[in-house]
Amino acid sequence: MIKNIKIKNFLTIKNLEINFDKHFNTIVGESGAGKSLILKAISEVFSIKNDTQMVGNFGDSCKISIDFDSNLSKYNFSQRNFTIVKILKKNKSQLFLNDIQLSNKIAQNIKNDIVNIVSQDYRFELFEKDRFLEVLDLFIDPNIIENYKMAFTNFNEAKKTINELKSKIKSIDNAHTEILIELIDKTDPQKDEYDELINKRKQIKQDLALKDFIQQLNALFYEGKNNLYDTIIASFKKINNIESDASLKMQNISNSLNKILDELNTLKPLFEYSKDDEVSIDNIERRLFELENLQRKFGKTINEILDEKQKLSQLIGKKNSMQEQLLEEQDKLQTLKDKLEQAAFQLTSQRKKQADRLIDGVMQSMSDLMLESADFDIVFEKVECSENGQDKITLFFSANKDLPKKELSKIASGGEKSRFILALFEYIGQLSQNTIIFDEIEEGTGGKTLTSIVSKLKNLSLQNQLICITHSLEVQNAADKIFTIEKTFENSNTVTYLCQM
């Protein structure tokens, strides 16, 4: 319910304030006085687009403030009393709800919970998106709606889980985990193997250098041309062939040579070496090449690669576990899908029943409003399940039964549409209980039709707040509160102002 609206510098409105009654309000005035500016101002507050051309000539900015009472718990507001303020400037706008900055999109959604505007110049929100589904749902057992919403939530959570599992499995597949493990296993590195081989190669090279030195000594002592061993043996032969009186000296020489020969015989086994070491270093070089090639491919050390293999193996284990979980979730999803379809079918069935009743009720009310030749239907189309069910609803209307019914929002004239909406609200009014703004609903009517319109407006106002912009004295006289809009000229500017009657 709208309690109050304050408008400053909006088109021709310089400064205006209206305190509405909670039941039946009328806004009256001469044609062109600016009655519809009130409706425009309300619509501008909740509009998705900002029309800065609405700023008047009485300042640099426009301010529209609306105090209202509503249940906005679904937007996480616990209170019921609100003030929404829109400030328009030449180059920007600001929107606040209880001093909290608000987006235009959320404001548009909130509008649907506060006010319905019925006018030839405005699109009627009940015909937009899923709004009429909400009307039908007012008459349905809340448990059926809640059962569907729970089934839809459970189904979507299962779908989300499946998609997440597929995404994670795909991520592991994209990492080519099995290929990398196969590459590592082909080389089969061992922990610390590379460093150990490097050290072993170093040791073998040192050993080979020593062997080379020993070979040189071996050639000098035993195997080379003019080697020491053969020279000593030859010396013994010469000594034996020499006859000398200095036998003691020769004996000493012979003894010394024998000692040298004994030492050479003792050293000779130490100069022996194995050919296996030469083969061994070739194997080490070959193995080091394999390990270094693996390290280049991974850009990591052997020990880091082994750690990586462990992580990759864990990923494969995780992937296998997720694949098992995926199969379980897919089975679960099918069960939840069946439950969702059952809940959707039940919700659709209830909506169709209520739609038939609503058609009968509205048709009867339209007859009272001299639309007895009119025809009205609610057509259901099955669509993909959403949070609102699997139904898309279109309202069809014909002013005369001999003409084919067409989509109501496109073919009905303004007066016919307004009277139809009045008939509709007469049926749903006790359950909707919000603010309804009618813009010249009586236009083009008189006599019994006008009397019926006034009666239905009065009855509707008992449960809903009505704001009627009207030229009709009959509508005006039925109101609880009347506001008269007039205009004047100040300093060459047209000024719209309010006179409460």
Side-chain angles (χ1 to χ4, degrees), residues 319-353:
K319 173 187 170 182
N320 294 336
S321 175
M322 286 191 292
Q323 286 176 328
E324 292 178 2
Q325 185 183 353
L326 180 61
L327 293 175
E328 294 174 359
E329 289 294 334
Q330 287 173 332
D331 290 340
K332 177 182 174 182
L333 182 68
Q334 185 57 51
T335 301
L336 292 173
K337 183 180 180 182
D338 293 340
K339 289 183 179 180
L340 177 62
E341 289 175 349
Q342 292 172 4
F345 176 79
Q346 188 178 19
L347 179 59
T348 298
S349 299
Q350 290 297 313
R351 282 172 171 170
K352 287 182 175 179
K353 287 181 182 178

Side-chain angles (χ1 to χ4, degrees), residues 187-198:
T187 305
D188 191 26
Q190 304 299 313
K191 186 177 180 181
D192 298 326
E193 180 184 7
Y194 183 78
D195 292 336
E196 289 173 357
L197 286 175
I198 290 291

Side-chain angles (χ1 to χ4, degrees), residues 94-255:
Q94 291 177 296
L95 184 64
F96 300 93
L97 182 66
N98 285 3
D99 298 323
I100 300 172
Q101 193 152 9
L102 193 68
S103 71
N104 290 342
K105 185 175 181 180
I106 295 177
Q108 181 67 32
N109 293 332
I110 289 176
K111 176 186 177 182
N112 297 330
D113 296 292
I114 302 169
V115 60
N116 286 299
I117 298 175
V118 184
S119 168
Q120 296 182 42
D121 298 327
Y122 292 85
R123 294 177 64 192
F124 185 50
E125 288 81 1
L126 274 184
F127 303 141
E128 297 177 4
K129 297 183 180 178
D130 298 323
R131 285 283 288 145
F132 203 79
L133 288 175
E134 297 178 15
V135 172
L136 291 180
D137 289 349
L138 292 171
F139 301 92
I140 294 175
D141 182 353
N143 292 326
I144 293 176
I145 299 172
E146 187 61 31
N147 182 49
Y148 172 80
K149 288 185 175 180
M150 185 177 296
F152 181 74
T153 298
N154 292 339
F155 177 75
N156 276 281
E157 286 179 350
K159 274 179 60 177
K160 182 180 178 182
T161 299
I162 287 173
N163 289 335
E164 288 175 349
L165 285 170
K166 287 181 177 179
S167 178
K168 290 176 181 178
I169 290 170
K170 185 177 180 181
S171 178
I172 293 173
D173 288 338
N174 289 341
H176 308 296
T177 313
E178 287 88 350
I179 295 174
L180 293 175
I181 287 181
E182 183 180 353
L183 185 62
I184 296 171
D185 286 343
K186 187 176 180 180
T187 305
D188 191 26
Q190 304 299 313
K191 186 177 180 181
D192 298 326
E193 180 184 7
Y194 183 78
D195 292 336
E196 289 173 357
L197 286 175
I198 290 291
N199 291 331
K200 190 172 183 180
R201 182 178 68 178
K202 181 179 178 181
Q203 183 62 48
I204 290 175
K205 285 186 176 181
Q206 290 175 346
D207 291 344
L208 289 175
L210 177 60
K211 287 176 182 178
D212 184 59
F213 174 68
I214 289 173
Q215 285 176 348
Q216 293 177 20
L217 291 179
N218 191 49
L220 177 64
F221 292 162
Y222 306 105
E223 296 179 1
K225 187 178 180 180
N226 300 320
N227 65 75
L228 181 59
Y229 189 86
D230 291 341
T231 300
I232 292 174
I233 296 297
S235 297
F236 275 118
K237 290 180 180 180
K238 288 182 179 180
I239 290 172
N240 292 332
N241 293 328
I242 295 174
E243 293 181 2
S244 173
D245 295 335
S247 57
L248 180 60
K249 185 176 183 179
M250 292 299 291
Q251 184 64 40
N252 290 336
I253 292 172
S254 179
N255 290 339

